[in-house]
């Protein structure tokens, strides 16, 4: 099971957030700001396959904690909930 941490939302509810590496967060944010995995890969000077691998691992970490994020919108919501990005950034 992936490492996790407790996250408090607006001082009330607490959920378990997966422990994402700095690189996973970087790839996630680049992908969220891009129109495609190809564009995110170009931003980070990595391959599209590498972006896909990171996203697969991130989604698996969320699913393992009972917080699946199967779509880009769902993953964006999780990233905001867990403090990896903000609405203002997008």
């Amino acid at each position: 099971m992936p490492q996790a941490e407790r996250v408090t939302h607006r001082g009330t509810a607490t959920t378990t957030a997966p422990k994402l590496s700095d690189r996973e967060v970087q790839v996630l944010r680049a992908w969220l700001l891009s129109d495609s995995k190809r564009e995110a890969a170009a931003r980070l000077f990595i391959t599209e396959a590498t972006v896909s691998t990171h996203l697969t691992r991130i989604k698996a970490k969320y699913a393992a904690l009972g917080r699946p994020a199967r779509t880009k919108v769902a993953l964006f919501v999780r990233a905001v909930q867990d403090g990896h990005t903000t609405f203002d950034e997008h």
Side-chain angles (χ1 to χ4, degrees), residues 5-19:
E5 56 190 39
R6 304 297 282 175
V7 177
T8 302
H9 304 287
R10 295 190 184 135
T12 56
T14 303
T15 60
T16 302
K19 183 70 175 160

Side-chain angles (χ1 to χ4, degrees), residues 45-64:
F45 304 101
I46 59 177
T47 67
E48 189 174 343
T50 300
V51 172
S52 292
T53 298
H54 281 293
L55 293 173
T56 297
R57 288 180 183 157
I58 292 165
K59 289 176 183 180
K61 287 179 180 185
Y62 274 107

Side-chain angles (χ1 to χ4, degrees), residues 4-5 9 11 26 29 32 36 39-40 63 78 83-84 88:
E5 56 190 39
H9 304 287
Q26 184 180 36
R29 291 172 75 181
L32 290 171
S36 66
E39 185 180 323
R78 296 287 185 239
H84 297 302
D88 294 334

Side-chain angles (χ1 to χ4, degrees), residues 75-89:
L75 202 48
F76 173 67
V77 169
R78 296 287 185 239
V80 169
Q81 289 172 335
D82 297 340
H84 297 302
T85 192
T86 65
F87 284 105
D88 294 334
E89 185 177 0

